[in-house]
């Protein structure tokens, strides 16, 4: 029997009320808590789909962001804004130039986000049981997001290195495999993790702010934690914008470490390869002072807002869908 959203929501509310009457300690018996039988693979599948969509839909803006974070850009790659950059790149280099590196990003985003969301749900639930007796805990959300980030970045960092090198203006690489071979031959395998510490330093506060902001917005817009796509989109967009803006300086340093921008490093007499977060900070400051730490902030926020909104709305839909399936199976044919 086909289920309409209104009827499912009503059934969810009745189920929650019944659950609360039967068990006074159950204060969060809604779809936010996935059915107990749901496997880790379900979390991973939902996370993988959300991650791939998050990275692919707004990928052209991510390409612009990488170029706008260049500390010594080529005169032909200096842009006043995101829209102007998109138009010029399409006009002078072709539409597909904006999609360079997308394939390697998709290959990394799937497993990275699968681990990310599965770890987040498991740690969040465990810590919430300890801190808030199963209720919503902002501390648990922040810690869970930070722990999940360590696993996510371990998978995603090599893909980020390849992606950003291919996104740069006049990139010398013919494709992802050529980039992997060239970097491995000239810089060694360690080059793929040169920015890992900086990535973690950026993403741990990013994800902590991200999850706390999302949960705070949900408390205001969707206090009963029902499936409400509009609230998930708005909350996700707000979480992405706030966390992206705050962590832009670290993202600029990460981009420099990933791309090893030759012109920029040569201008400050750095030979060889730049390593370490402290060295990246000093180099960025030498090249452009404090304003350099916020290069590309507009593009970063424009990229993160819809990307995060997409990721959360897709992930929350999976949670809603799974709960709907459980209610249907428990009620039996014709009961829901």
């Amino acid at each position: 029997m086909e289920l309409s959203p209104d009827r499912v929501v009503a059934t969810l509310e009745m189920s929650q009320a019944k659950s609360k009457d039967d068990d006074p300690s159950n204060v969060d018996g809604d779809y936010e808590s996935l059915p107990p039988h749901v496997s880790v693979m379900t979390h991973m599948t939902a996370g993988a789909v959300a991650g791939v969509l998050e990275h692919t839909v707004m990928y052209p803006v991510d390409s612009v962001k990488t170029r706008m974070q260049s500390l010594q850009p080529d005169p032909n790659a200096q842009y006043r804004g995101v829209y102007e950059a998109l138009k010029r790149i399409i006009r002078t280099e072709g539409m597909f130039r904006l999609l360079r590196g997308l394939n390697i990003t998709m290959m990394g985003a799937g497993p990275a986000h699968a681990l990310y969301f599965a770890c987040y749900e498991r740690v969040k639930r465990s810590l919430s049981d300890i801190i808030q007796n199963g209720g919503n805990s902002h501390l648990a959300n922040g810690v869970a997001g930070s722990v999940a980030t360590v696993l996510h970045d371990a998978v995603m960092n090599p893909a980020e290195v390849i992606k950003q090198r291919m996104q740069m203006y006049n990139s010398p690489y013919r494709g992802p495999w050529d980039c992997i071979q060239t970097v491995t031959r000239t810089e060694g395998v360690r080059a793929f993790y040169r920015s890992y510490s900086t990535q973690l330093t950026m993403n741990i506060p990013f994800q902590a702010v991200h999850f706390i902001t999302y949960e705070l917005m949900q408390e205001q817009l969707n206090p009963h934690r029902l499936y409400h796509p509009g609230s998930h989109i708005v909350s996700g967009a707000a979480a992405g914008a706030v966390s992206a803006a705050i962590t832009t300086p670290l993202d600029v340093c990460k981009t420099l470490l990933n791309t090893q921008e030759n012109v920029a490093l040569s201008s400050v007499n750095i030979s060889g390869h730049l390593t370490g977060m402290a060295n990246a900070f000093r180099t960025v400051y030498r090249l452009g002072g404090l304003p350099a730490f916020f290069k590309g902030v507009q593009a970063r926020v424009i990229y993160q807002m819809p990307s995060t909104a997409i990721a959360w709305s897709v992930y929350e839909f999976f949670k809603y869908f799974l709960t709907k399936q459980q209610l249907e199976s428990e009620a039996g044919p014709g009961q829901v």
Side-chain angles (χ1 to χ4, degrees), residues 145-322:
S146 300
V147 173
T149 297
V150 175
L151 289 177
H152 170 276
D153 288 359
V155 176
M156 199 65 190
N157 207 85
E160 280 283 317
V161 173
I162 299 163
K163 175 200 79 172
Q164 290 199 299
R165 293 196 181 212
M166 295 185 65
Q167 287 174 330
M168 293 295 282
Y169 180 74
N170 269 345
S171 172
Y173 308 106
R174 295 188 301 274
W177 182 240
D178 178 49
C179 183
I180 293 169
Q181 289 181 309
T182 304
V183 172
T184 303
R185 184 175 65 252
T186 58
E187 303 176 41
V189 176
R190 292 182 61 184
F192 296 107
Y193 282 93
R194 191 177 285 132
S195 65
Y196 184 54
S197 61
T198 303
Q199 182 97 334
L200 285 178
T201 305
M202 175 184 71
N203 277 346
I204 287 177
F206 176 94
Q207 297 299 349
V209 172
H210 167 202
F211 280 110
I212 291 171
T213 303
Y214 181 82
E215 297 290 351
L216 282 171
M217 291 290 292
Q218 281 292 285
E219 285 181 359
Q220 299 300 314
L221 300 177
N222 188 17
H224 298 297
R225 298 305 179 98
L226 299 174
Y227 175 63
H228 191 272
S231 76
H232 303 315
I233 291 170
V234 172
S235 299
V242 172
S243 49
I246 289 173
T247 56
T248 294
L250 292 163
D251 194 44
V252 172
C253 294
K254 181 207 77 172
T255 297
L256 179 61
L257 288 170
N258 277 347
T259 61
Q260 296 292 306
E261 193 180 337
N262 292 328
V263 176
L265 297 182
S266 298
S267 68
V268 288
N269 299 318
I270 294 178
S271 58
H273 305 299
L274 184 68
T275 59
M277 185 177 64
N279 289 332
F281 262 93
R282 282 194 293 267
T283 304
V284 171
Y285 184 77
R286 287 172 64 189
L287 286 166
L290 290 177
F293 287 102
F294 289 91
K295 295 199 74 174
V297 63
Q298 179 195 36
R300 180 165 161 77
V301 170
I302 290 174
Y303 166 74
Q304 283 293 345
M305 284 183 69
S307 296
T308 312
I310 289 166
W312 274 113
S313 58
V314 169
Y315 189 66
E316 297 287 9
F317 169 76
F318 266 82
K319 295 171 80 171
Y320 165 74
F321 178 76
L322 287 168

Side-chain angles (χ1 to χ4, degrees), residues 73-208:
D74 185 281
N76 293 320
Q78 295 180 3
Y79 313 109
R80 293 189 300 272
V82 176
Y83 183 63
E84 189 259 342
L86 288 169
K87 285 199 304 181
R88 198 199 304 177
I89 292 170
I90 291 172
R91 186 178 67 250
T92 60
E93 304 175 51
M95 183 179 297
F96 291 106
R97 189 72 181 186
L98 289 166
L99 302 179
R100 291 200 83 211
L102 176 59
N103 47 2
I104 194 70
T105 299
M106 293 177 66
M107 290 173 61
H113 279 72
L115 289 171
Y116 174 77
F117 276 106
C119 179
Y120 171 71
E121 291 284 0
R122 181 60 59 88
V123 175
K124 172 187 171 183
R125 184 178 296 115
S126 299
L127 289 180
S128 293
D129 287 342
I130 296 170
I131 299 171
Q132 288 277 6
N133 240 7
N136 184 44
S137 166
H138 297 310
L139 177 60
N141 298 334
V143 172
S146 300
V147 173
T149 297
V150 175
L151 289 177
H152 170 276
D153 288 359
V155 176
M156 199 65 190
N157 207 85
E160 280 283 317
V161 173
I162 299 163
K163 175 200 79 172
Q164 290 199 299
R165 293 196 181 212
M166 295 185 65
Q167 287 174 330
M168 293 295 282
Y169 180 74
N170 269 345
S171 172
Y173 308 106
R174 295 188 301 274
W177 182 240
D178 178 49
C179 183
I180 293 169
Q181 289 181 309
T182 304
V183 172
T184 303
R185 184 175 65 252
T186 58
E187 303 176 41
V189 176
R190 292 182 61 184
F192 296 107
Y193 282 93
R194 191 177 285 132
S195 65
Y196 184 54
S197 61
T198 303
Q199 182 97 334
L200 285 178
T201 305
M202 175 184 71
N203 277 346
I204 287 177
F206 176 94
Q207 297 299 349

